[in-house]
Amino acid sequence: MEFKEAKNKFVQTWGALGSQWGINKTMAQIHALLMVSHEAVSMEDIMEELQISRGNASMNLRALMDWGIVYKEYKAGERREYFTAEKDLDELAVKISRERSKREIKPALKVLKEVSSITSDNTAEEKHFVDQTTKLYDFVLKADNMLDKMTEYKDNWLAKLVVKIMK
Amino acid sequence: MEFKEAKNKFVQTWGALGSQWGINKTMAQIHALLMVSHEAVSMEDIMEELQISRGNASMNLRALMDWGIVYKEYKAGERREYFTAEKDLDELAVKISRERSKREIKPALKVLKEVSSITSDNTAEEKHFVDQTTKLYDFVLKADNMLDKMTEYKDNWLAKLVVKIMK
DNA sequence: TTAAAGTTTCAAAAAAAAATGAAAGTTTAT
DNA sequence: ATAAACTTTCATTTTTTTTTGAAACTTTAA
């Protein structure tokens, strides 16, 4: 396999993976492209490589910057804007985790708390509902906190956790 | 908030969360409904509660059973099939992790391995590509393994991991 | 064996999500 | 102040995904 083919395969695969996890294909593809580019890439180049429109490129670049995983770069004496991706994978994981937690998990937790707090009139049905949603709330909260700790400490997370537990 | 309202809110929220993570809304809603139902539910009831067609219900129930998180139940002397969800959340997490790993992560890893193995002709561009995809492969593999270990040991994962590290 | 009660399948329709592209907006150099 | 170079926005179109519903299929009971 030669370089161009490999690069294209990578971009397509990353795009498909994105779709499966609720991230739009183009957004994931742009991210993939920037990840493996050794230098900053212009919007023109992105449009050209991925065969997408200016509007599409612009909107998805904005979304990636909102996630904090793509940055704008200005080259001296050039009008045009260039883009780079966060290339440190630990840092990337931290940012993706934080955003997904903030945008999706936290609001879901809020709802779980609400619905598990109804004053049940003690039918078996209602008791089961309260019980199950309470468990779910606790579970999701625990998982969310764990992810937070893991990403906070990056590679170091296990060591710190162990230290904390042992003292 | 009364029970019916809370139940509905829960089902809607779980459906929305599903969509954001690449699981179709109806599938997530059926799962939510079964999770909080104290007894097995028929296809009729699911269609009625979620206002969906028979075909939709049938296909998504099949998908949930393929994931191993919903079961068919037969009631003595009844023709009709009933459905229940896996209600143990640790078990649910294990099954979801395993399926997503098998269906999505493993195939992506295979591609990452392929594309990172091109014989680079040592331009800076190609070197960077190989370097970055190799790092990505290692990272995703590590994350996938970690999730596997965590779910394998469920609540016990940290203890076992610590034991392993200390010996 | 047949018909009733139920389930599955899949082509077609509908809905939702994403992409386009042209007009409006911005910035910079002169 | 103007125009060139570039970016953003958003109504419309396209694509993708999901849903429908009716026909085919399966199972059970009489």
Side-chain angles (χ1 to χ4, degrees), chain B residues 1-120:
Chain B
M1 188 160 34
E2 37 121 13
F3 172 58
K4 257 185 93 175
E5 190 190 346
K7 186 172 174 184
N8 187 57
K9 191 164 189 176
F10 171 66
V11 169
Q12 296 305 319
T13 304
W14 209 240
L17 197 65
S19 301
Q20 288 169 323
W21 288 80
I23 285 137
N24 108 30
K25 192 183 65 177
T26 304
M27 186 169 155
Q29 286 182 343
I30 295 177
H31 182 246
L33 185 61
L34 295 178
M35 286 263 290
V36 297
S37 296
H38 65 311
E39 50 186 32
V41 180
S42 71
M43 207 161 87
E44 292 294 336
D45 292 342
I46 292 169
M47 289 164 58
E48 167 64 23
E49 279 230 49
L50 302 180
Q51 290 291 302
I52 57 171
S53 70
R54 190 172 292 286
N56 197 5
S58 174
M59 291 179 91
N60 282 298
L61 280 166
R62 157 133 325 283
L64 285 163
M65 289 189 294
D66 289 346
W67 276 58
I69 59 178
V70 160
Y71 315 113
K72 247 185 206 169
E73 236 173 53
Y74 298 95
K75 291 199 180 177
E78 275 217 65
R79 181 67 191 285
R80 185 173 297 193
E81 296 173 339
Y82 288 82
F83 301 89
T84 15
E86 174 60 63
K87 291 196 186 69
D88 175 8
L89 299 178
D90 288 320
E91 195 53 34
L92 179 67
V94 169
K95 293 198 162 162
I96 291 176
S97 302
R98 292 225 176 114
E99 283 299 306
R100 295 210 87 148
S101 171
K102 189 170 75 188
R103 294 173 193 219
E104 296 149 16
I105 309 296
K106 294 289 193 304
L109 275 171
K110 188 161 161 278
V111 173
L112 276 174
K113 189 164 216 168
E114 277 170 39
V115 301
S116 65
S117 306
I118 58 167
T119 41
S120 155

Side-chain angles (χ1 to χ4, degrees), chain A residues 23-39:
Chain A
I23 284 136
N24 109 31
K25 192 184 65 175
T26 303
M27 187 168 152
Q29 286 183 341
I30 294 177
H31 182 246
L33 185 61
L34 295 179
M35 286 264 288
V36 296
S37 296
H38 64 309
E39 50 186 31

Side-chain angles (χ1 to χ4, degrees), chain A residues 24 26 52-53 55-56 60 79:
Chain A
N24 109 31
T26 303
I52 58 172
S53 70
N56 196 4
N60 282 298
R79 181 66 191 287

Side-chain angles (χ1 to χ4, degrees), chain A residues 26-87:
Chain A
T26 303
M27 187 168 152
Q29 286 183 341
I30 294 177
H31 182 246
L33 185 61
L34 295 179
M35 286 264 288
V36 296
S37 296
H38 64 309
E39 50 186 31
V41 179
S42 71
M43 206 160 89
E44 291 295 335
D45 292 341
I46 292 169
M47 289 163 57
E48 167 64 24
E49 279 231 49
L50 302 180
Q51 289 293 300
I52 58 172
S53 70
R54 192 171 291 288
N56 196 4
S58 173
M59 291 179 94
N60 282 298
L61 280 166
R62 159 134 320 286
L64 285 163
M65 288 189 295
D66 289 347
W67 276 59
I69 60 179
V70 160
Y71 315 114
K72 246 184 206 170
E73 234 173 54
Y74 298 96
K75 291 200 180 176
E78 275 217 64
R79 181 66 191 287
R80 185 173 299 195
E81 296 172 341
Y82 289 81
F83 301 89
T84 16
E86 175 60 64
K87 291 197 185 68

